[in-house]
Structure formats: structure tokens, C-alpha cells
Amino acid sequence: MLDTAPFQKADALTASRHYAAASAAVCLRQKGKSVSSETTPEDWSALILRVRDTQDKAAFAALFRHFAPRIKGFLMKSGASATLAEECAQDVMATLWQKAHLFDPARASAATWIFTIARNRRIDALRKSRRPEPEELTWGPEAEPDQHEALELSQDTERLGEALALLPQKQRDLIERAYFHDLSHSEIATETGLPLGTIKSRIRLALERLRHKMS
Amino acid sequence: MTIRHHITDQLLMGYSAGQLPEAFNLVIAAHLSFCDECRARLGAFDAIGGALMGECDSVAMMESSLTATLDRLTQPAPAPRLRRKACKVLPAPLVDYVGGDLASVKWRSIGMGVRQAILPTDAGATARLLYIPAGQKVADHSHRGMELTLVLQGAFSDETDRFGPGDLEIANDDLHHQPVAEEGPDCICLAATEAPLRFNGLLPRLAQPFLRI
């Protein structure tokens, strides 16, 4: 163990340098865009695929810098202390590395997938209970997800973000409270002001496509 | 398996948000194991979570954070928990909780041929497997809080409808019902009931008779 330590440090340094290169590349790609200065959802998915396929530490560092502070914010908004949130955000990012082989960009965007990891970590940490997960399904014969489907999914996700932004403040608050641990399960079950229909009607998200793929 | 009774949007959102008691999560995970439609709908709710997390105010990580995490990556990952395979009646998440297939369930008789097995979950709600012989009526009962019942084998009917394999009945505290198991295979269900917080502490097991089934 001891003799590998210097290499780990070196790895980290190289990774940070690679990160700088990666973000520069992203910036270059975005020069042509007038509207958004943000990395697109497809870019984040591509970075997870690089982690998955080549254990790319530069890609990991780029993901870390973007998502870890958001995960930490999410956990603190859900009631975790800064220390616990910091620790859990690191855990979530380490889990992303370990479970990257389970990531499928046709099924979930990077943000969605990372959210499910963070949520599970939150259940462990704040509620100290297990989370039962459904059976793994086989999703049809294709080994590699269709690029077209991955693109459609990320467009759906973008539309979802827009739909959320357009909600009246009161409804938006309810949704946030549900996800940030501020609405009990019985409140969720009986709350009639939740705009679930509204949101769902704004996204074609997966439904038909996934059903078709699974059958 | 033709499923007619699905998870409501509210419960799916609660599951996605990680807001339900473990026993409810278990029933929902079991239903999702049978039901592609609900699983696809869940994807939409997870996406809402992803979008909300993405819009959260960032809180800066500690300076050493990235290096510390990169260091961890070179260590071997913890061995993944071995997942048991589903058996004919129990989907994988239930096999995990039972610790084996249907033959491993530790049934206890609760009268009239009906048997139950309480599964270990956190205190927010109670999960139990129920075994109701074909043709048997279950003592008529009402609920304290919400009750979710998922049919795993056979079928039952009550005042509201018929529930076959994969169907989920969602009963609130206003429902007073008397389920009857159909003729044919004996009926096996997974049920989760809200346990009021006062069951915490010394008397949880003694309080159980009040839940009646």
C-alpha cells in the first residue's frame, strides 16, 4: 500500500492537469454557441462513459468539480450538516466511479443517475435504513444503447427542466419540499396541489420508448 | 402477468424522492420488479430529482476533496452485496428481505388459516407477508393510516375490486374492507402498514394485535 502512495498523488496531479485540458476543450467547443455557457447534458454523459470505458481520471475530475458541490448543496438542503454533506458527496462521487459500468445514457441522463446515487446515500446517512431496489431487468438485446435514444432522453430532460422552471412558485415549492425532505410521505400522498400531471405532460420522457425497448 | 392496479404518481414520487418508510419502499420495489410501466414512469420522477439537484445552490467542497476522492479510487471497491435471484413467487427485493425463497419464510398463524411473517424494516411502517388460503375471508378491518397490499400469488377481492398477481391495492384509513381470497392457488401478498410513532420504544410487538392482520 505504502509504496503506491506517491503514484496516487501523481495520478491526482495528472488528473487535475487533464481536467484543465478537458475544460479548455469544453470551452472551445462552446465558443460557437451564443446562448449557453454551460456544458450540455450530453457532455456530462460522455464524461461518465469515459470513466466507465477507460477509467479516465480527468473525466472524473471534471464531473467532480461540477456535481460534487451540487450534491453537497442538495444534501445540506435536505438537512445534513456541512461535514456530513461533504463526506457523503465524496462517497457519491466514489460510487459513480465504482458503478460507472451500470450507467446507460439511453435510460438516464448524467444528472438523473447521479441524483439516484445521492438519494440512496442520503437514505443511508440520514435515515440509517436500507433501500430495497427493484429487480434488474434485461433491456433487450442491444449491448450498446442507441445514440439517438440517448440524445432524445437528454432533450426530454432539458424540457423537464424548462417545465419545472415555468411552474407557478407555489407548485414548484411543493415539489422541492417533497424532494428535499420537507414533506412527509403522508403529505405527499394526500397533497392535491402537486402538479404531477402538468410536469408529466410536458415530457415524453422515456415512457413509450422504454416500454417498446423492454417488450 | 396483466397488472391492472398500479402505483400512484404520488407514491412513485415519494419513492423517487426517498421519502417513504422502508416497508413502503419494499412494496414499491417489488411491484416495480413486475411492472415495466411503473418503472418507466419512475424514470420521469428520478429525472425531476436530477433537475432539482442540478439547480441546487452549490456549496463549495473542501480544497482537498478532489485529491482525497481520487486517492480513494485506486483502492479496491467494496465487494458488491451479492444479490439473490428471484424465486417463482418472490421478486428479488423480497428474496433479500426473506433471506431465501418462499420455503424460507417463517410463517406464524394468526387464525382462520391465515399466516403472516413480519419482515425487518425501519420503524416508519411495518411490512408483512400474508398467506391466505383460497376461498378464505380475512377478518374485516380498517386501517390506521395507509396500507399497501401487493399480490404475489393467487388473487383477492374486496369491496373495491379484484386484485391479481402484481396488482397493488392502496387503502387509506377511510377504507373498511373484508378481503376474500379467490378459489385457485392460495393467495400470498406483501402488505405494508403505517405504524404510528407511538409504537416506538418498549411495546412494539405487544401493540401488533391492534393492527389485526
Side-chain angles (χ1 to χ4, degrees):
Chain A
M1 227 39 228
L2 268 180
D3 57 345
T4 62
F7 290 104
Q8 292 172 9
K9 284 275 168 339
D11 275 355
L13 279 177
T14 324
S16 320
R17 251 177 261 131
H18 282 191
Y19 166 70
S23 28
V26 166
C27 290
L28 276 179
R29 230 179 312 144
Q30 284 168 346
K31 268 204 168 153
K33 294 184 191 170
S34 54
V35 187
S36 167
S37 63
E38 297 255 309
T39 310
T40 69
E42 296 96 273
D43 292 335
W44 298 123
S45 291
L47 288 173
I48 300 182
L49 294 179
R50 273 163 58 191
V51 168
R52 182 189 76 180
D53 298 336
T54 59
Q55 288 80 52
D56 184 333
K57 287 195 170 168
F60 179 82
L63 288 161
F64 188 98
R65 299 212 194 249
H66 179 77
F67 284 104
R70 286 172 170 80
I71 299 167
K72 188 173 176 182
F74 167 72
L75 292 169
M76 287 176 68
K77 212 167 165 184
S78 309
S81 68
T83 318
L84 182 64
E86 165 82 27
E87 189 188 311
C88 290
Q90 289 188 25
D91 291 345
V92 170
M93 293 309 296
T95 305
L96 176 151
W97 176 272
Q98 286 151 4
K99 296 203 168 164
H101 61 282
L102 297 175
F103 177 67
D104 175 350
R107 274 204 252 173
S109 72
T112 302
W113 189 61
I114 293 172
F115 161 74
T116 62
I117 301 175
R119 171 205 59 207
N120 292 357
R121 188 69 191 88
R122 185 182 70 185
I123 292 175
D124 278 355
L126 297 182
R127 296 240 308 259
K128 309 224 183 312
S129 76
R130 289 161 75 188
R131 177 176 171 93
E133 293 289 337
E135 208 157 316
E136 283 297 318
L137 289 188
T138 42
W139 289 62
E142 317 96 294
E144 270 303 300
D146 192 322
Q147 286 227 324
H148 177 65
E149 285 180 350
L151 182 68
E152 269 188 48
L153 184 86
S154 77
Q155 287 169 347
D156 276 349
T157 311
E158 237 165 273
R159 260 197 302 277
L160 173 65
E162 288 160 15
L164 279 172
L166 289 174
L167 283 178
Q169 193 56 38
K170 205 175 155 202
Q171 296 190 332
R172 159 104 195 177
D173 285 349
L174 271 176
I175 295 269
E176 284 203 5
R177 286 176 59 205
Y179 279 85
F180 295 122
H181 250 214
D182 195 26
L183 213 54
S184 74
H185 70 270
S186 22
E187 285 174 301
I188 292 177
T190 51
E191 180 53 67
T192 47
L194 282 166
L196 302 180
T198 323
I199 293 182
K200 281 200 318 182
S201 68
R202 300 296 295 273
I203 45 172
R204 290 176 293 136
L205 231 160
L207 257 179
E208 291 309 319
R209 193 163 64 244
L210 292 187
R211 235 186 266 163
H212 170 73
K213 201 173 172 187
M214 286 188 287
S215 57
Chain B
M1 189 182 286
T2 315
I3 299 177
R4 292 173 48 235
H5 298 278
H6 296 274
I7 308 172
T8 58
D9 282 341
Q10 272 87 352
L11 279 170
L12 263 185
M13 187 177 80
Y15 179 79
S16 170
Q19 280 292 64
L20 303 182
E22 189 180 355
F24 283 15
N25 280 343
L26 180 58
V27 177
I28 289 170
H31 177 88
L32 289 169
S33 302
F34 299 133
C35 183
D36 293 347
E37 186 181 323
C38 287
R39 197 187 283 252
R41 283 165 59 220
L42 176 67
F45 289 107
D46 285 346
I48 294 176
L52 290 177
M53 194 177 80
E55 290 167 19
C56 257
D57 292 336
S58 303
V59 176
M61 296 291 283
M62 313 233 293
E63 206 153 312
S64 57
S65 202
L66 174 58
T67 319
T69 309
L70 283 167
D71 279 354
R72 275 170 71 180
L73 304 183
T74 54
Q75 290 155 22
R81 202 160 49 89
L82 271 189
R83 187 102 210 231
R84 294 171 198 262
K85 282 259 185 313
C87 79
K88 206 172 148 224
V89 177
L90 308 179
L94 260 178
V95 172
D96 282 344
Y97 275 75
V98 166
D101 60 10
L102 201 54
S104 329
V105 177
K106 296 183 182 63
W107 296 108
R108 296 182 61 173
S109 171
I110 54 170
M112 301 198 301
V114 180
R115 290 180 280 164
Q116 74 167 11
I118 308 265
L119 303 174
T121 58
D122 68 21
T126 308
R128 73 195 73 213
L129 284 166
L130 285 167
Y131 190 102
I132 311 159
Q136 179 66 53
K137 276 185 186 171
V138 175
D140 113 37
H141 64 283
S142 48
H143 307 100
R144 302 163 159 241
M146 192 187 283
E147 179 183 63
L148 305 182
T149 309
L150 174 71
V151 179
L152 303 168
Q153 174 189 297
F156 74 83
S157 299
D158 66 10
E159 286 77 350
T160 65
D161 210 337
R162 174 189 184 272
F163 298 86
D167 280 336
L168 179 73
E169 179 174 48
I170 302 170
N172 291 313
D173 43 14
D174 53 357
L175 179 72
H176 185 88
H177 68 158
Q178 182 164 36
V180 183
E182 228 171 70
E183 293 301 337
D186 293 335
C187 183
I188 300 175
C189 299
L190 169 67
T193 25
E194 274 179 282
L197 285 176
R198 62 189 134 124
F199 286 158
N200 277 346
L202 287 174
L203 300 174
R205 289 294 173 259
L206 289 179
Q208 224 172 309
F210 292 110
L211 292 169
R212 280 188 276 196
I213 58 165

